[in-house]
Amino acid sequence: MDDVTEAEGLLEFLYAAPVGLVQIDMSGDIAMINPHAMKHLLPLAQGRDPGNLFAMLDRCAPELRNMLEAFEPSRGSVCDGHRIMVDLAPPTDGADPKVLACTVVKLDAERAIACLSDVTLQVAQERRLKQAETWFASLLNDVNDYAVLSVTADGLIDAANASWTKQSGYSCDAAVGRSMADLFDRTAGAGAIAVCEQLRLAARDGWHLAEDWHERLDGSRYWCQRLLAARTAPEGDLTGYTLVLRDVRRDSQDAHDLRRLLTEDHLTGAANRARFQHVLDRELKTWRETGAPLSLLMIDLDHFKQVNDDYGHLAGDAVLRGFAETVAAAIRPTDLLARLGGEEFAVLLPATPLEEARSIANELRTLIEDMRTVSGPHRIAVTASFGCAVASGQDVLARADEALYVAKRSGRNCVQAARPAAIAA
Amino acid sequence: METSVVTIAQLSFDTIDLAELEAMAEGERDGLPFGVVGVDHQGTTQVYNRTEAAMAGLDRESVLGSGFFETVAQCMNNFMVAQRFEDEPTLDEIIPYVLTLRMRPTRVRLRLLARAGAPLRFILIER
């Protein structure tokens, strides 16, 4: 009787635990799972096998399978608090986009335990605090770390302090007279806001914070945090800007690795969901403020499950890597390729009207069609379907998705574009 | 005794209605071959039949009076089940679902039953 009571007590404990627990084998098949875990996972499964953790997470965290596979030690922590961005855009009911944190521990060669918790609120709070933190961090740091440039209302540099030379290698004379855009736009990473836009935002809001790569005179790069503050005359007219620069990373491999881990998809090197969400959000803001057309491609590899079934997961992974390499090499530096799900990708195309997006999509479609992935004795050919949409006040993600669905339905290996008017009609 | 057994056999998962469930005595609901859970408008478990207790591996007495969606059935505490009772005062729908009975993923059919003004909402669980 005591054994029964104890077993019931343990079950009650696991049923009520406010955190998700899942025990899996190396292929993700679930041996045990508690209700809290299923509460979060089942809505994500969308018809995929609810008996397999990786299948249920494939749409929004395909990297977990690769992370466990790539973990060589026989036991230990595979990831700790790894974030799973469930919603790419804020839900229509005004709630914060859902985020789960996932910790995976490998127990032995056959078993791993995953722990899932909902960190939506923490992430939303972090986001709200981040700008303030960045601001305070730059205030509290040693004054010697600052490089200060003075910028005219037209965006030309008219003075620089000694720290500027220390930080960037450029002499003060070499900077003065050049435009800020000339110094900073060239080395900016994909998805960065152009300097002219930063100047406009700073003039409007009083200040603008940015973080990006900057190249020193000797060609080496550093991660640079920039505060651009507008200077105004007492009557309110813009007289110029003060640009404060901080070298916030010391080119360490650790920092680079950490950044990659946080922004890149583990398998393909494309941007991950978190990075995509961040850049999409920012590009939509730019679109609202400037009206420059913002296009989005949603891409899905056709019959990808068949590739996995016929040639195995490793071959499937090689196809995904080949796809990402091919697309990344073909798009412009300002475009952003992201992996959104198992075989689902997106390309964000700033300053691109729909017609141009459609022709880019067609070029990519041809490249993918011609691509061959070598896996053992096989040369695997795949095709992809494309949905394009341009930001127009309605949800650009949903409309690109809808166009993708049409492309899938009309035979795959094709491009479909959603026109706001056509959708509304 | 005989007649009551026959009656119960005819009350199937798909056809039994809310009024019949409400009218049944605890012992009769225990005799049904599927799980029966009744939850009031505060989310408190008021009905938990023997079939369901056996499938879940729990003691009925410890479940009765507890918050169903918090302590026993968190896996239903999402927009697919719990939220529907909040949004739809009258509801009769069968959905395929996956529960974690005794921590094993288990495919089941759920039947969600609610009627405006009724004190209890019922969830039927068929393995």
Side-chain angles (χ1 to χ4, degrees), chain B residues 50-78:
Chain B
R50 194 181 300 284
T51 316
E52 183 57 20
M55 283 198 283
L58 291 173
D59 174 26
R60 181 217 306 262
E61 296 312 315
S62 68
V63 175
L64 287 174
S66 72
F68 181 67
F69 294 115
E70 287 80 39
T71 57
V72 181
Q74 287 189 71
C75 49
M76 298 186 209
N77 196 4
N78 55 28

PDB file of all heavy atoms in Angstrom, chain B residues 50-78:
ATOM      1  N   ARG B  50     -13.446   6.585 -12.062  1.00  0.00           N
ATOM      2  CA  ARG B  50     -12.454   5.557 -11.734  1.00  0.00           C
ATOM      3  C   ARG B  50     -11.611   5.195 -12.963  1.00  0.00           C
ATOM      4  O   ARG B  50     -10.410   4.959 -12.856  1.00  0.00           O
ATOM      5  CB  ARG B  50     -13.173   4.306 -11.179  1.00  0.00           C
ATOM      6  CG  ARG B  50     -12.254   3.318 -10.490  1.00  0.00           C
ATOM      7  CD  ARG B  50     -13.010   2.082  -9.991  1.00  0.00           C
ATOM      8  NE  ARG B  50     -14.063   2.396  -9.010  1.00  0.00           N
ATOM      9  CZ  ARG B  50     -13.826   2.694  -7.733  1.00  0.00           C
ATOM     10  NH1 ARG B  50     -12.591   2.750  -7.278  1.00  0.00           N
ATOM     11  NH2 ARG B  50     -14.817   2.953  -6.900  1.00  0.00           N
ATOM     12  N   THR B  51     -12.253   5.157 -14.140  1.00  0.00           N
ATOM     13  CA  THR B  51     -11.536   4.813 -15.376  1.00  0.00           C
ATOM     14  C   THR B  51     -10.376   5.792 -15.597  1.00  0.00           C
ATOM     15  O   THR B  51      -9.249   5.406 -15.911  1.00  0.00           O
ATOM     16  CB  THR B  51     -12.497   4.889 -16.587  1.00  0.00           C
ATOM     17  OG1 THR B  51     -13.727   4.274 -16.221  1.00  0.00           O
ATOM     18  CG2 THR B  51     -11.905   4.220 -17.801  1.00  0.00           C
ATOM     19  N   GLU B  52     -10.667   7.077 -15.413  1.00  0.00           N
ATOM     20  CA  GLU B  52      -9.652   8.096 -15.631  1.00  0.00           C
ATOM     21  C   GLU B  52      -8.545   8.008 -14.575  1.00  0.00           C
ATOM     22  O   GLU B  52      -7.360   8.131 -14.890  1.00  0.00           O
ATOM     23  CB  GLU B  52     -10.297   9.494 -15.622  1.00  0.00           C
ATOM     24  CG  GLU B  52      -9.351  10.641 -15.899  1.00  0.00           C
ATOM     25  CD  GLU B  52      -8.609  10.507 -17.227  1.00  0.00           C
ATOM     26  OE1 GLU B  52      -9.070   9.756 -18.097  1.00  0.00           O
ATOM     27  OE2 GLU B  52      -7.559  11.143 -17.351  1.00  0.00           O
ATOM     28  N   ALA B  53      -8.956   7.763 -13.307  1.00  0.00           N
ATOM     29  CA  ALA B  53      -7.968   7.649 -12.222  1.00  0.00           C
ATOM     30  C   ALA B  53      -7.005   6.502 -12.509  1.00  0.00           C
ATOM     31  O   ALA B  53      -5.777   6.628 -12.317  1.00  0.00           O
ATOM     32  CB  ALA B  53      -8.674   7.437 -10.884  1.00  0.00           C
ATOM     33  N   ALA B  54      -7.559   5.397 -13.043  1.00  0.00           N
ATOM     34  CA  ALA B  54      -6.716   4.233 -13.336  1.00  0.00           C
ATOM     35  C   ALA B  54      -5.762   4.526 -14.493  1.00  0.00           C
ATOM     36  O   ALA B  54      -4.581   4.180 -14.451  1.00  0.00           O
ATOM     37  CB  ALA B  54      -7.597   3.022 -13.659  1.00  0.00           C
ATOM     38  N   MET B  55      -6.262   5.212 -15.531  1.00  0.00           N
ATOM     39  CA  MET B  55      -5.404   5.526 -16.682  1.00  0.00           C
ATOM     40  C   MET B  55      -4.276   6.469 -16.272  1.00  0.00           C
ATOM     41  O   MET B  55      -3.140   6.338 -16.711  1.00  0.00           O
ATOM     42  CB  MET B  55      -6.237   6.186 -17.799  1.00  0.00           C
ATOM     43  CG  MET B  55      -7.084   5.217 -18.590  1.00  0.00           C
ATOM     44  SD  MET B  55      -7.626   5.932 -20.176  1.00  0.00           S
ATOM     45  CE  MET B  55      -8.945   7.023 -19.694  1.00  0.00           C
ATOM     46  N   ALA B  56      -4.611   7.430 -15.406  1.00  0.00           N
ATOM     47  CA  ALA B  56      -3.621   8.433 -15.017  1.00  0.00           C
ATOM     48  C   ALA B  56      -2.709   7.930 -13.904  1.00  0.00           C
ATOM     49  O   ALA B  56      -1.645   8.490 -13.668  1.00  0.00           O
ATOM     50  CB  ALA B  56      -4.326   9.715 -14.576  1.00  0.00           C
ATOM     51  N   GLY B  57      -3.151   6.870 -13.223  1.00  0.00           N
ATOM     52  CA  GLY B  57      -2.353   6.347 -12.108  1.00  0.00           C
ATOM     53  C   GLY B  57      -2.467   7.204 -10.861  1.00  0.00           C
ATOM     54  O   GLY B  57      -1.554   7.240 -10.038  1.00  0.00           O
ATOM     55  N   LEU B  58      -3.596   7.901 -10.726  1.00  0.00           N
ATOM     56  CA  LEU B  58      -3.761   8.814  -9.588  1.00  0.00           C
ATOM     57  C   LEU B  58      -4.893   8.355  -8.679  1.00  0.00           C
ATOM     58  O   LEU B  58      -5.784   7.621  -9.094  1.00  0.00           O
ATOM     59  CB  LEU B  58      -4.056  10.228 -10.093  1.00  0.00           C
ATOM     60  CG  LEU B  58      -2.913  10.952 -10.802  1.00  0.00           C
ATOM     61  CD1 LEU B  58      -3.411  12.254 -11.394  1.00  0.00           C
ATOM     62  CD2 LEU B  58      -1.757  11.199  -9.831  1.00  0.00           C
ATOM     63  N   ASP B  59      -4.851   8.834  -7.443  1.00  0.00           N
ATOM     64  CA  ASP B  59      -5.895   8.570  -6.476  1.00  0.00           C
ATOM     65  C   ASP B  59      -7.004   9.606  -6.656  1.00  0.00           C
ATOM     66  O   ASP B  59      -6.748  10.800  -6.623  1.00  0.00           O
ATOM     67  CB  ASP B  59      -5.288   8.656  -5.070  1.00  0.00           C
ATOM     68  CG  ASP B  59      -6.346   8.531  -3.998  1.00  0.00           C
ATOM     69  OD1 ASP B  59      -7.396   7.915  -4.292  1.00  0.00           O
ATOM     70  OD2 ASP B  59      -6.131   9.059  -2.898  1.00  0.00           O
ATOM     71  N   ARG B  60      -8.240   9.113  -6.863  1.00  0.00           N
ATOM     72  CA  ARG B  60      -9.353  10.022  -7.137  1.00  0.00           C
ATOM     73  C   ARG B  60      -9.482  11.098  -6.048  1.00  0.00           C
ATOM     74  O   ARG B  60      -9.690  12.274  -6.342  1.00  0.00           O
ATOM     75  CB  ARG B  60     -10.655   9.220  -7.230  1.00  0.00           C
ATOM     76  CG  ARG B  60     -11.875  10.082  -7.548  1.00  0.00           C
ATOM     77  CD  ARG B  60     -13.135   9.636  -6.820  1.00  0.00           C
ATOM     78  NE  ARG B  60     -13.474   8.242  -7.013  1.00  0.00           N
ATOM     79  CZ  ARG B  60     -14.374   7.814  -7.896  1.00  0.00           C
ATOM     80  NH1 ARG B  60     -14.975   8.665  -8.688  1.00  0.00           N
ATOM     81  NH2 ARG B  60     -14.663   6.536  -7.965  1.00  0.00           N
ATOM     82  N   GLU B  61      -9.328  10.670  -4.800  1.00  0.00           N
ATOM     83  CA  GLU B  61      -9.572  11.603  -3.701  1.00  0.00           C
ATOM     84  C   GLU B  61      -8.605  12.784  -3.722  1.00  0.00           C
ATOM     85  O   GLU B  61      -8.937  13.891  -3.331  1.00  0.00           O
ATOM     86  CB  GLU B  61      -9.495  10.876  -2.344  1.00  0.00           C
ATOM     87  CG  GLU B  61     -10.567   9.802  -2.156  1.00  0.00           C
ATOM     88  CD  GLU B  61     -11.985  10.299  -2.526  1.00  0.00           C
ATOM     89  OE1 GLU B  61     -12.320  11.433  -2.102  1.00  0.00           O
ATOM     90  OE2 GLU B  61     -12.720   9.583  -3.245  1.00  0.00           O
ATOM     91  N   SER B  62      -7.379  12.538  -4.183  1.00  0.00           N
ATOM     92  CA  SER B  62      -6.418  13.647  -4.184  1.00  0.00           C
ATOM     93  C   SER B  62      -6.631  14.578  -5.376  1.00  0.00           C
ATOM     94  O   SER B  62      -6.176  15.716  -5.376  1.00  0.00           O
ATOM     95  CB  SER B  62      -4.978  13.119  -4.147  1.00  0.00           C
ATOM     96  OG  SER B  62      -4.687  12.472  -5.366  1.00  0.00           O
ATOM     97  N   VAL B  63      -7.325  14.082  -6.400  1.00  0.00           N
ATOM     98  CA  VAL B  63      -7.567  14.925  -7.578  1.00  0.00           C
ATOM     99  C   VAL B  63      -8.804  15.796  -7.361  1.00  0.00           C
ATOM    100  O   VAL B  63      -8.813  16.977  -7.709  1.00  0.00           O
ATOM    101  CB  VAL B  63      -7.754  14.054  -8.841  1.00  0.00           C
ATOM    102  CG1 VAL B  63      -8.133  14.915 -10.034  1.00  0.00           C
ATOM    103  CG2 VAL B  63      -6.476  13.281  -9.133  1.00  0.00           C
ATOM    104  N   LEU B  64      -9.853  15.202  -6.747  1.00  0.00           N
ATOM    105  CA  LEU B  64     -11.085  15.961  -6.532  1.00  0.00           C
ATOM    106  C   LEU B  64     -10.787  17.190  -5.680  1.00  0.00           C
ATOM    107  O   LEU B  64     -10.081  17.113  -4.679  1.00  0.00           O
ATOM    108  CB  LEU B  64     -12.141  15.079  -5.840  1.00  0.00           C
ATOM    109  CG  LEU B  64     -12.760  13.998  -6.739  1.00  0.00           C
ATOM    110  CD1 LEU B  64     -13.687  13.102  -5.916  1.00  0.00           C
ATOM    111  CD2 LEU B  64     -13.513  14.614  -7.910  1.00  0.00           C
ATOM    112  N   GLY B  65     -11.294  18.323  -6.106  1.00  0.00           N
ATOM    113  CA  GLY B  65     -11.090  19.562  -5.338  1.00  0.00           C
ATOM    114  C   GLY B  65      -9.847  20.327  -5.745  1.00  0.00           C
ATOM    115  O   GLY B  65      -9.627  21.450  -5.306  1.00  0.00           O
ATOM    116  N   SER B  66      -9.010  19.715  -6.604  1.00  0.00           N
ATOM    117  CA  SER B  66      -7.797  20.438  -7.032  1.00  0.00           C
ATOM    118  C   SER B  66      -8.087  21.161  -8.352  1.00  0.00           C
ATOM    119  O   SER B  66      -9.078  20.894  -9.014  1.00  0.00           O
ATOM    120  CB  SER B  66      -6.639  19.457  -7.219  1.00  0.00           C
ATOM    121  OG  SER B  66      -6.860  18.672  -8.375  1.00  0.00           O
ATOM    122  N   GLY B  67      -7.222  22.081  -8.720  1.00  0.00           N
ATOM    123  CA  GLY B  67      -7.369  22.786  -9.999  1.00  0.00           C
ATOM    124  C   GLY B  67      -6.978  21.845 -11.123  1.00  0.00           C
ATOM    125  O   GLY B  67      -5.819  21.462 -11.228  1.00  0.00           O
ATOM    126  N   PHE B  68      -7.943  21.461 -11.953  1.00  0.00           N
ATOM    127  CA  PHE B  68      -7.684  20.395 -12.934  1.00  0.00           C
ATOM    128  C   PHE B  68      -6.571  20.772 -13.901  1.00  0.00           C
ATOM    129  O   PHE B  68      -5.640  20.006 -14.126  1.00  0.00           O
ATOM    130  CB  PHE B  68      -8.975  20.073 -13.701  1.00  0.00           C
ATOM    131  CG  PHE B  68      -8.810  18.970 -14.713  1.00  0.00           C
ATOM    132  CD1 PHE B  68      -8.545  17.677 -14.294  1.00  0.00           C
ATOM    133  CD2 PHE B  68      -8.916  19.231 -16.069  1.00  0.00           C
ATOM    134  CE1 PHE B  68      -8.379  16.644 -15.224  1.00  0.00           C
ATOM    135  CE2 PHE B  68      -8.750  18.209 -16.995  1.00  0.00           C
ATOM    136  CZ  PHE B  68      -8.484  16.912 -16.574  1.00  0.00           C
ATOM    137  N   PHE B  69      -6.644  21.985 -14.478  1.00  0.00           N
ATOM    138  CA  PHE B  69      -5.673  22.356 -15.514  1.00  0.00           C
ATOM    139  C   PHE B  69      -4.302  22.716 -14.933  1.00  0.00           C
ATOM    140  O   PHE B  69      -3.342  22.857 -15.669  1.00  0.00           O
ATOM    141  CB  PHE B  69      -6.215  23.503 -16.378  1.00  0.00           C
ATOM    142  CG  PHE B  69      -7.413  23.111 -17.190  1.00  0.00           C
ATOM    143  CD1 PHE B  69      -8.649  23.687 -16.953  1.00  0.00           C
ATOM    144  CD2 PHE B  69      -7.301  22.142 -18.173  1.00  0.00           C
ATOM    145  CE1 PHE B  69      -9.750  23.319 -17.710  1.00  0.00           C
ATOM    146  CE2 PHE B  69      -8.399  21.761 -18.931  1.00  0.00           C
ATOM    147  CZ  PHE B  69      -9.635  22.351 -18.697  1.00  0.00           C
ATOM    148  N   GLU B  70      -4.215  22.890 -13.621  1.00  0.00           N
ATOM    149  CA  GLU B  70      -2.916  23.187 -13.011  1.00  0.00           C
ATOM    150  C   GLU B  70      -2.231  21.939 -12.487  1.00  0.00           C
ATOM    151  O   GLU B  70      -1.023  21.773 -12.650  1.00  0.00           O
ATOM    152  CB  GLU B  70      -3.057  24.184 -11.851  1.00  0.00           C
ATOM    153  CG  GLU B  70      -3.343  25.613 -12.283  1.00  0.00           C
ATOM    154  CD  GLU B  70      -4.814  25.816 -12.618  1.00  0.00           C
ATOM    155  OE1 GLU B  70      -5.647  25.251 -11.892  1.00  0.00           O
ATOM    156  OE2 GLU B  70      -5.110  26.504 -13.610  1.00  0.00           O
ATOM    157  N   THR B  71      -2.990  21.073 -11.830  1.00  0.00           N
ATOM    158  CA  THR B  71      -2.326  19.983 -11.109  1.00  0.00           C
ATOM    159  C   THR B  71      -2.311  18.663 -11.873  1.00  0.00           C
ATOM    160  O   THR B  71      -1.389  17.881 -11.725  1.00  0.00           O
ATOM    161  CB  THR B  71      -3.003  19.734  -9.741  1.00  0.00           C
ATOM    162  OG1 THR B  71      -4.369  19.459  -9.986  1.00  0.00           O
ATOM    163  CG2 THR B  71      -2.867  20.927  -8.838  1.00  0.00           C
ATOM    164  N   VAL B  72      -3.336  18.399 -12.665  1.00  0.00           N
ATOM    165  CA  VAL B  72      -3.441  17.081 -13.290  1.00  0.00           C
ATOM    166  C   VAL B  72      -3.247  17.167 -14.799  1.00  0.00           C
ATOM    167  O   VAL B  72      -2.575  16.341 -15.398  1.00  0.00           O
ATOM    168  CB  VAL B  72      -4.821  16.453 -12.999  1.00  0.00           C
ATOM    169  CG1 VAL B  72      -4.920  15.072 -13.631  1.00  0.00           C
ATOM    170  CG2 VAL B  72      -5.037  16.384 -11.505  1.00  0.00           C
ATOM    171  N   ALA B  73      -3.808  18.196 -15.406  1.00  0.00           N
ATOM    172  CA  ALA B  73      -3.886  18.207 -16.871  1.00  0.00           C
ATOM    173  C   ALA B  73      -3.309  19.486 -17.451  1.00  0.00           C
ATOM    174  O   ALA B  73      -3.954  20.160 -18.239  1.00  0.00           O
ATOM    175  CB  ALA B  73      -5.337  18.030 -17.312  1.00  0.00           C
ATOM    176  N   GLN B  74      -2.078  19.806 -17.080  1.00  0.00           N
ATOM    177  CA  GLN B  74      -1.443  20.991 -17.668  1.00  0.00           C
ATOM    178  C   GLN B  74      -1.372  20.878 -19.185  1.00  0.00           C
ATOM    179  O   GLN B  74      -1.376  21.868 -19.898  1.00  0.00           O
ATOM    180  CB  GLN B  74      -0.026  21.149 -17.140  1.00  0.00           C
ATOM    181  CG  GLN B  74       0.055  21.619 -15.710  1.00  0.00           C
ATOM    182  CD  GLN B  74       1.495  21.939 -15.365  1.00  0.00           C
ATOM    183  OE1 GLN B  74       2.046  22.913 -15.827  1.00  0.00           O
ATOM    184  NE2 GLN B  74       2.092  21.092 -14.557  1.00  0.00           N
ATOM    185  N   CYS B  75      -1.260  19.627 -19.673  1.00  0.00           N
ATOM    186  CA  CYS B  75      -1.140  19.459 -21.124  1.00  0.00           C
ATOM    187  C   CYS B  75      -2.392  19.916 -21.867  1.00  0.00           C
ATOM    188  O   CYS B  75      -2.369  20.109 -23.067  1.00  0.00           O
ATOM    189  CB  CYS B  75      -0.781  18.023 -21.483  1.00  0.00           C
ATOM    190  SG  CYS B  75      -1.799  16.820 -20.674  1.00  0.00           S
ATOM    191  N   MET B  76      -3.507  20.086 -21.113  1.00  0.00           N
ATOM    192  CA  MET B  76      -4.708  20.621 -21.778  1.00  0.00           C
ATOM    193  C   MET B  76      -4.858  22.110 -21.507  1.00  0.00           C
ATOM    194  O   MET B  76      -5.817  22.727 -21.954  1.00  0.00           O
ATOM    195  CB  MET B  76      -5.965  19.903 -21.258  1.00  0.00           C
ATOM    196  CG  MET B  76      -6.002  18.420 -21.518  1.00  0.00           C
ATOM    197  SD  MET B  76      -7.607  17.786 -21.009  1.00  0.00           S
ATOM    198  CE  MET B  76      -7.186  16.115 -20.565  1.00  0.00           C
ATOM    199  N   ASN B  77      -3.902  22.672 -20.754  1.00  0.00           N
ATOM    200  CA  ASN B  77      -4.043  24.080 -20.372  1.00  0.00           C
ATOM    201  C   ASN B  77      -3.478  24.984 -21.459  1.00  0.00           C
ATOM    202  O   ASN B  77      -2.510  25.709 -21.256  1.00  0.00           O
ATOM    203  CB  ASN B  77      -3.323  24.326 -19.040  1.00  0.00           C
ATOM    204  CG  ASN B  77      -3.748  25.632 -18.412  1.00  0.00           C
ATOM    205  OD1 ASN B  77      -4.641  26.312 -18.934  1.00  0.00           O
ATOM    206  ND2 ASN B  77      -3.124  25.996 -17.314  1.00  0.00           N
ATOM    207  N   ASN B  78      -4.074  24.917 -22.640  1.00  0.00           N
ATOM    208  CA  ASN B  78      -3.642  25.781 -23.743  1.00  0.00           C
ATOM    209  C   ASN B  78      -4.871  26.111 -24.599  1.00  0.00           C
ATOM    210  O   ASN B  78      -5.992  25.778 -24.238  1.00  0.00           O
ATOM    211  CB  ASN B  78      -2.522  25.107 -24.548  1.00  0.00           C
ATOM    212  CG  ASN B  78      -2.912  23.726 -25.043  1.00  0.00           C
ATOM    213  OD1 ASN B  78      -4.101  23.460 -25.265  1.00  0.00           O
ATOM    214  ND2 ASN B  78      -1.944  22.850 -25.197  1.00  0.00           N
TER     215      ASN B  78
END
